[in-house]
Amino acid sequence: MADPATYRPRPGEIPTSPGVYRFRDEHGRVIYVGKAKNLRARLANYFQDVANLHHRTATMVTTAASVEWTVVGTEVEALALEYTWIKEFDPRFNVKYRDDKSYPYLAVTLGEEFPRAQVMRGAKRRGTRYFGPYGHAWAIRETLDLLLRVFPVRTCSTGVFRRAQQSGRPCLLGYIDKCSAPCVGRVSADEHRALVEDFCDFMAGDTARFVRRLEARMAEAAQAMEYEQAARLRDDIQALLRATEKNAVVLTDGTDADVFAMVGDELEAAVQVFHVRGGRIRGQRGWVVEKVEDLTDADLVEHLLQQVYGAVDETAQAGGPEARDAVPREVLVPVLPTDVEQVGAWLHGLRGSRVDLRVPQRGDKRELAETVRKNAEHALALHRTRRAGDLTTRSQALREIQEALGLDAAPLRIECYDISTTQGTHQVASMVVFEDGAARKNEYRHFAIRGAEGDGARDDTEAMHEVITRRFRRYLAERSESPDVESDFHDDEPPRSGEVGADVSADRRRFAYPPHLVVVDGGPPQVAAARRALDELGIDDVALCGLAKRLEEVWLPHDPYPVILPRSSEGLYLMQRLRDEAHRFAITYHRSKRGRAMTVSALDGVPGLGPKRQAALLKAFGSVKKLRQADVAEIAAVPGMGPKSAQAVLDALAPAPGTAAEPGTAAAPGGPAPGTAAASAPDDLAS
C-alpha cells in the first residue's frame, strides 16, 4: 500500500482548467480515470486524510503510485476523452457496464460497394448502420425475410457473392425475387444502394411513406387492369404492415426515445433500456454493473450514457443518419446526470440537433419508465439467482466464508436473523436458513418480540438478544429430547457406521441441530447482543458474525476491526443474499402483523367465534352496533350459531361496568378485544 503523500503533486503544478486525470500503480498500469471541471480542485479531494475518504476511494489512492492529467478545451471534450481512456485502459477502479448478454443487431454495411443486410453481434464497425438491439437473432431474420419482398437488398456473404459474379448465376434468393442480384448485373451499384437507403429509412421508422407509395402503385395497377401486379403489391403492403406490427405502440405521439432505468444496491446495479422509435419499441438492452467507485446514482447515469453513446462517436459521423438512429430526440433517465448541461451538449454534438435529456414525470412516458424499471429489477434478481444456483459458485462461496472467518470447516448450515419494527411497535424478527448455499424456505421462522415486560424490546439489540435466546433455548430442549442427534455423542463415543433399527425416525427435530454459522443483520452492537445470548446458554460451538449494510462489513465478536471481503467475492454475495432474504421475510411478517392490528374487530375476542361465523353475523345484522342491540334468539337464528354462542357474543359486546363506550366501537388497533384478556404467547418460536 502506497502513501498518497509520496506521489502527491504540488498544488501549483496542477492547472485549474478542465481535463482528464489518470492514476497509475507501481507497475505503470492505469487503475482509474476521471474528469474534472477544475483539475486542481478535483485532485485535491484525493489527497486528504485517507481516513476521511470512502473505503473504495481510499483503496484506490493507496494502490496508486502516481497521477497524471491532460488539459482539454471544454468540459464536453473532457467527457469524450474520459470515455476513450476508460475503453482503452480498462481501469480496475472504474465502473464498467457489461452487457448481460451479447445482443444481435440488424446491420447494413454501407461502407461496401454493394451493401449487405445481416445479423451482427459484438463491437460496432465504422461505416455500418445498426438497427436494434433485438432480443433474439431469429426476430431479425424473420423481419428481414418479410422486408426482402419490398426491399430485395443483398444478404449473402462475400464468398457467395464472388462465386455468383464468377459463374454469372445468382443464388437462390435471386431466383425467388428476394434479392435484386447485383452480383450478376440485374441492377447497378447505384440502383442497389438506392434500395438499401430505402430499406434503412423504413427501419429507422419512416414506414408510412413506403406504405402510401405501394398503395398508390396498387391503385394504378388495378385501374390499368394489371391485377396480378396489384395482387403482388397488396402482398408487399401486408408484409410491411406485419413487419411494423411486431412491435407494439407504446408512445402514441410517435416519439423517438431511449428510456433508461436502474435498480441496485451497494455493490452492483442492473440497468435496462428500451429503444423506442416512432412510438414503437425497436429493441431492449440490459447491463449489470459492479460499483467499484464511490458514485451516486447521478454519476452512474452519466457513466452509462458515456458508454451507450460513446461508441456512436467512434463509428458514426456526427449528425449523420447512423448517429441520429443511435441518439434519439429524447433520452429519459431515472435521475439526471451530475453534469447535465455538459452531457446534453455532448449528445447534441453527436446527433447534430437538440437532445432532450430529462426524467419523465407523468403520462405514458412515466408509465413506460416504470415498466423498464421492473425489467431492471427482474434482471438483477435473475443475475443473483444464477450466481446462487450454480453449485460450483455456492461451494466457492462457502469456502471463502470459511477462510475469511477462520472457521474449521465450511458453514454448510447458515442462519440469518433480522429485526423489523416501526418506531418500536409491532416488533418482529425473522430467521432464514441456507444449507449448502441454497435457501431452505420450509425452515424459515418468524418471531414476535415480547420484551422483558411483555410490551416489546427497548431497542434492536435487546430484540436480537431475545430472538437468539429463544431459538437456542429451543435447540437445547429439542437436543435433549432427540437421542439420534450428533451433538449428543461424546468425544469418546464417535458416530459409528452400521445397521440401525426400523424404528429410528427419519424426520428429526429440526431445531435439535445447531447451525454452523449465525449471521445477524447489523454491526458490533447486534453481534455483541447475540454473543451474550449464546454465552448465557453455554453455547460455544456456533460461529457468529454480523453483516453491516453500509459498507458490507463483516463483524466478529470481540474484534475491533471488521473483516472486509473482496468486492467480487462469492462469499460476500452469499451473505448479502442471506441478509436480504432475512430482511424480506421480516418485512413481510411485520406488514402482515401491522395490517391485522389495524383491522381488529370487537368480535375477535369471542371464544369459539371464527372468521366464517363472524362474517355470517355481520351479513345478517349489517354492523356490530345492530348486533349489540339484538337478543339471544335473533343471534342464535343465524346459520352456524346456537344459544350458547349467541350469549357469548352478547357478553363480549357488552360494555364494561363504569364505561360509556359507544355501541359498536371496535377494539383499539393492536390491543385486546373488549371483554377479553390479552392472549398469552408461547415461550418458544412463533410459527
Side-chain angles (χ1 to χ4, degrees):
M1 290 290 182
D3 183 359
T6 60
Y7 65 88
R8 177 178 183 174
R10 285 180 290 186
E13 297 176 351
I14 308 175
T16 58
S17 307
V20 183
Y21 54 91
R22 298 182 293 192
F23 281 87
R24 294 181 180 269
D25 63 10
E26 58 184 345
H27 303 292
R29 290 174 297 191
V30 176
I31 61 173
Y32 183 74
V33 173
K35 63 175 177 60
K37 300 178 182 178
N38 185 321
L39 283 169
R40 181 182 300 176
R42 184 71 182 95
L43 290 176
N45 294 333
Y46 291 101
F47 295 103
Q48 55 180 301
D49 186 358
V50 175
N52 297 331
L53 296 174
H54 188 278
H55 170 70
R56 300 183 185 113
T57 306
T59 304
M60 188 274 292
V61 297
T62 54
T63 304
S66 65
V67 62
E68 57 192 22
W69 57 85
T70 299
V71 176
V72 296
T74 65
E75 296 167 25
V76 176
E77 291 180 21
L79 191 71
L81 182 59
E82 180 191 28
Y83 166 78
T84 302
W85 278 2
I86 290 175
K87 185 175 180 181
E88 178 180 355
F89 297 112
D90 194 24
R92 56 177 292 199
F93 287 100
N94 276 97
V95 163
K96 292 178 285 292
Y97 289 86
R98 305 189 185 278
D99 282 2
D100 51 12
K101 63 178 178 179
S102 177
Y103 287 89
Y105 286 81
L106 173 56
V108 182
T109 57
L110 295 175
E112 299 182 9
E113 181 183 6
F114 297 98
R116 174 191 177 193
Q118 60 180 315
V119 178
M120 191 175 289
R121 299 177 186 264
K124 294 186 177 180
R125 306 172 186 175
R126 184 179 295 275
T128 300
R129 191 168 179 182
Y130 293 86
F131 302 95
Y134 287 76
H136 303 279
W138 58 260
I140 302 178
R141 296 188 179 98
E142 191 174 87
T143 301
L144 188 57
D145 185 68
L146 289 171
L147 295 181
L148 288 179
R149 287 184 54 92
V150 184
F151 308 105
V153 299
R154 173 196 164 204
T155 58
C156 60
S157 65
T158 302
V160 173
F161 188 85
R162 287 177 179 173
R163 283 196 297 271
Q165 282 182 318
Q166 293 170 357
S167 65
R169 291 180 299 175
C171 64
L172 176 63
L173 293 178
Y175 282 110
I176 63 175
D177 295 329
K178 285 197 171 181
C179 179
S180 56
C183 53
V184 295
R186 287 186 185 173
V187 295
S188 66
D190 292 339
E191 291 171 336
H192 182 263
R193 183 166 291 276
L195 272 176
V196 170
E197 289 174 354
D198 286 346
F199 174 83
C200 291
D201 289 344
F202 181 88
M203 290 300 302
D206 188 9
T207 60
R209 175 166 63 94
F210 295 98
V211 173
R212 289 196 302 268
R213 188 170 71 184
L214 290 178
E215 288 176 344
R217 289 174 56 191
M218 181 182 67
E220 291 175 1
Q223 193 171 16
M225 292 186 291
E226 297 176 358
Y227 299 117
E228 291 183 0
Q229 177 66 13
R232 178 180 175 82
L233 292 170
R234 177 203 61 199
D235 294 339
D236 291 347
I237 293 171
Q238 291 177 351
L240 293 185
L241 293 177
R242 285 200 302 273
T244 57
E245 286 171 357
K246 288 181 176 295
N247 299 314
V249 175
V250 292
L251 298 177
T252 55
D253 57 356
T255 301
D256 292 344
D258 285 347
V259 186
F260 292 87
M262 179 185 299
V263 174
D265 56 21
E266 288 289 326
L267 292 183
E268 58 185 3
V271 178
Q272 288 281 316
V273 58
F274 280 8
H275 300 284
V276 180
R277 299 296 183 268
R280 300 175 184 269
I281 298 177
R282 296 293 186 185
Q284 177 185 0
R285 198 176 179 189
W287 300 266
V288 174
V289 58
E290 295 177 348
K291 296 183 178 179
V292 293
E293 299 180 61
D294 178 22
L295 297 176
T296 63
D297 287 347
D299 294 325
L300 286 173
V301 168
E302 180 173 317
H303 283 275
L304 171 65
L305 298 180
Q306 276 184 290
Q307 177 162 325
V308 172
Y309 300 117
V312 179
D313 198 12
E314 300 176 348
T315 61
Q317 180 182 1
E322 295 92 329
R324 288 196 298 272
D325 288 343
V327 184
R329 295 186 182 90
E330 292 184 47
V331 176
L332 308 180
V333 293
V335 294
L336 290 176
T338 306
D339 298 326
V340 60
E341 295 182 0
Q342 285 68 40
V343 174
W346 176 60
L347 293 176
H348 179 280
L350 293 179
R351 178 176 171 81
S353 60
R354 184 175 180 273
V355 176
D356 188 9
L357 177 62
R358 61 189 179 87
V359 178
Q361 300 294 334
R362 63 184 67 86
D364 294 340
K365 294 174 183 176
R366 180 70 182 87
E367 293 178 3
L368 181 59
E370 181 63 19
T371 301
V372 182
R373 188 190 66 80
K374 291 178 181 178
N375 276 264
E377 287 182 346
H378 294 321
L380 184 60
L382 180 61
H383 171 74
R384 290 173 173 171
T385 302
R386 284 173 175 169
R387 277 182 171 272
D390 182 23
L391 179 60
T392 303
T393 302
R394 298 205 309 268
S395 300
Q396 179 185 348
L398 295 176
R399 186 171 59 253
E400 290 178 356
I401 293 175
Q402 174 192 350
E403 294 173 356
L405 303 185
L407 305 179
D408 295 332
L412 300 183
R413 179 184 172 99
I414 308 176
E415 295 178 1
C416 185
Y417 297 83
D418 185 31
I419 308 297
S420 182
T421 181
T422 302
Q423 297 181 346
T425 63
H426 309 303
Q427 294 176 329
V428 299
S430 66
M431 179 189 87
V432 301
V433 181
F434 275 40
E435 289 188 357
D436 294 331
R440 292 290 297 271
K441 294 192 175 183
N442 62 329
E443 298 196 17
Y444 287 11
R445 288 296 181 272
H446 286 139
F447 298 81
I449 306 299
R450 302 166 190 144
E453 304 297 330
D455 56 354
R458 291 174 300 178
D459 53 26
D460 281 0
T461 57
E462 183 176 309
M464 186 63 71
H465 179 274
E466 176 185 330
V467 170
I468 299 297
T469 299
R470 287 167 57 186
R471 186 267 180 266
F472 285 91
R473 185 186 296 155
R474 179 74 170 268
Y475 151 63
L476 294 175
E478 290 193 2
R479 185 180 68 173
S480 63
E481 298 171 3
S482 302
D484 60 331
V485 177
E486 295 174 6
S487 301
D488 282 344
F489 287 99
H490 301 290
D491 293 339
D492 55 348
E493 296 181 6
R496 294 185 297 271
S497 301
E499 186 177 355
V500 297
D503 59 341
V504 176
S505 173
D507 185 18
R508 298 173 175 175
R509 304 288 293 273
R510 290 173 178 170
F511 290 98
Y513 300 92
H516 298 96
L517 174 65
V518 169
V519 180
V520 298
D521 181 18
Q526 287 78 11
V527 174
R531 182 73 267 171
R532 181 162 46 88
L534 294 175
D535 291 341
E536 291 171 355
L537 295 173
I539 297 175
D540 57 3
D541 57 349
V542 175
L544 171 68
C545 71
L547 182 61
K549 183 172 290 187
R550 180 172 175 268
L551 295 177
E552 309 295 354
E553 305 158 331
V554 179
W555 292 91
L556 299 176
H558 313 302
D559 195 335
Y561 299 102
V563 175
I564 305 296
L565 291 172
R567 172 186 49 79
S568 59
S569 166
E570 295 294 342
L572 180 58
Y573 278 109
L574 177 58
M575 296 190 72
Q576 279 186 306
R577 286 192 65 237
L578 268 164
R579 190 264 319 281
D580 293 345
E581 183 70 349
H583 183 66
R584 179 198 65 78
F585 199 52
I587 283 289
T588 301
Y589 181 44
H590 173 74
R591 288 172 178 167
S592 174
K593 188 175 181 181
R594 186 178 61 197
R596 289 197 303 268
M598 297 176 67
T599 57
V600 170
S601 169
L603 298 174
D604 290 344
V606 180
L609 194 66
K612 290 186 177 180
R613 292 206 288 176
Q614 287 185 29
L617 288 174
L618 292 175
K619 183 178 179 181
F621 292 94
S623 67
V624 174
K625 180 178 180 180
K626 292 182 179 179
L627 180 61
R628 184 179 280 113
Q629 296 170 354
D631 56 26
V632 174
E634 291 174 332
I635 298 177
V638 176
M641 299 294 295
K644 187 176 180 180
S645 299
Q647 187 60 51
V649 170
L650 289 179
D651 293 341
L653 296 181
T659 63
E662 181 69 22
T665 302
T676 62
S680 59
D683 193 36
D684 55 355
L685 293 175
S687 60

